[in-house]
Amino acid sequence: MNQILRSLSAAAAFSCLAALPLANTATAQEPVRGKQAGDLVLGLGVIGVLPDSGGRVDAIGGKPNASDSASPQLDLTWFATPNLSLNLIAATTRHDVHVNGSALGEVDLGRVWALPPTLTLQFHPFPQARVSPYVGAGINYTFFYSEGGRRTPPVEKVDVKNSWGWALNAGVDIEVAPRWAVNFDVKKLFLRPDVSVNSGAIGARADLDPWIVGAGVRYRF
C-alpha cells in the first residue's frame, strides 16, 4: 500500500512539475479555454488499484484477498457537451491472491492479471473554470487472465471468471494551457467475480470492489 501511494505521489508531483512551464504561460498570456462540445482528450498517467477483502469460499471457508497494484494508464474522453463527457480507461494490473482464515489456514492462490476497461458518463458543473471538477457513473467489464504463480498444495488450478461491475467516479482537471491539463481521478468499482479452484472442486466469490486512484496529464485534440 505504501509503495502504491509513493508511486502515485511521485506521478502527481511529476505531472505538476512538467506542467509548470505551461501553467506560467497560461496564467500570464492565455485565457481559460475550458471544455467544449466535440473535444477529444487523451490522458496518460499512473493508477493504483486497491481491492477490498471479502467474499466467500465454499468447503474450506475463509475470506478471499487480492493485493494492491500500480500501473500506467491511458484514458480517452469525448465531450458531447461542455458539461457531459464519456470517459474510457485502459490499464492492466497484476495481483497476488490468497484466502485468509480457511480451514487449511492461509491458502496462496497464486497471481492473476486484471484488465478492467471502464466507461463512465461524467458531469462537469464548471466546464469553463481552470480548476474543473467532475463526477460520474458507469459500467465496467474486467478480464482476468494469466493465472499462475506459486500456490499452496493441494491447489493446482485457479480460474478467476471475467465479470461485469458498476463504477462511480470523481475527479478534477486543472487546465495549464489551452490544450493541456493535469488530472486527478478516483473510481470505485463494484466488482465480485466468481473463482473456481481445481476445476470447480472449490468455488468462491471474491468481493474485490476496488478503488482506482490516479494522476496524470491530458492533451486535448
Side-chain angles (χ1 to χ4, degrees):
M1 177 66 173
N2 290 335
Q3 184 176 358
I4 300 293
L5 294 177
R6 284 196 297 269
S7 298
L8 290 172
S9 298
F14 175 78
S15 298
C16 292
L17 288 173
L20 279 177
L22 295 173
N24 291 334
T25 300
T27 55
Q29 300 177 5
E30 299 283 353
V32 177
R33 175 190 182 275
K35 298 167 178 176
Q36 299 178 10
D39 281 351
L40 190 64
V41 182
L42 180 66
L44 174 64
V46 64
I47 58 169
V49 180
L50 316 175
D52 288 341
S53 298
R56 59 167 178 78
V57 181
D58 299 338
I60 64 172
K63 180 187 293 185
N65 181 275
S67 65
D68 299 339
S69 186
S71 170
Q73 175 188 268
L74 283 173
D75 74 285
L76 190 65
T77 306
W78 173 72
F79 283 82
T81 73
N83 296 99
L84 292 176
S85 68
L86 288 172
N87 173 261
L88 179 66
I89 66 171
T92 187
T93 52
R94 196 189 84 171
H95 302 268
D96 297 321
V97 185
H98 57 275
V99 174
N100 294 327
S102 79
L104 302 177
E106 182 170 329
V107 179
D108 192 343
L109 300 181
R111 63 175 182 265
V112 63
W113 285 82
L115 175 64
T118 304
L119 181 67
T120 53
L121 176 65
Q122 299 172 333
F123 174 66
H124 305 257
F126 310 111
Q128 300 307 312
R130 187 177 300 280
V131 179
S132 178
Y134 57 85
V135 294
I139 194 166
N140 160 267
Y141 188 77
T142 299
F143 300 89
F144 295 96
Y145 65 99
S146 294
E147 292 93 337
R150 185 176 300 173
R151 299 169 176 145
T152 302
V155 177
E156 296 180 352
K157 182 179 181 181
V158 176
D159 182 21
V160 184
K161 308 296 185 181
N162 299 340
S163 181
W164 290 95
W166 300 103
L168 296 177
N169 180 213
V172 61
D173 293 314
I174 304 171
E175 184 178 311
V176 295
R179 292 188 179 273
W180 291 93
V182 175
N183 172 259
F184 300 94
D185 186 88
V186 178
K187 291 182 176 68
K188 176 66 172 179
L189 303 187
F190 298 91
L191 181 65
R192 301 186 173 187
D194 292 326
V195 182
S196 173
V197 178
N198 289 353
S199 300
I202 298 176
R205 188 191 72 196
D207 294 353
L208 300 177
D209 295 345
W211 289 93
I212 301 178
V213 295
V217 293
R218 288 179 164 178
Y219 178 79
R220 179 190 295 111
F221 290 94

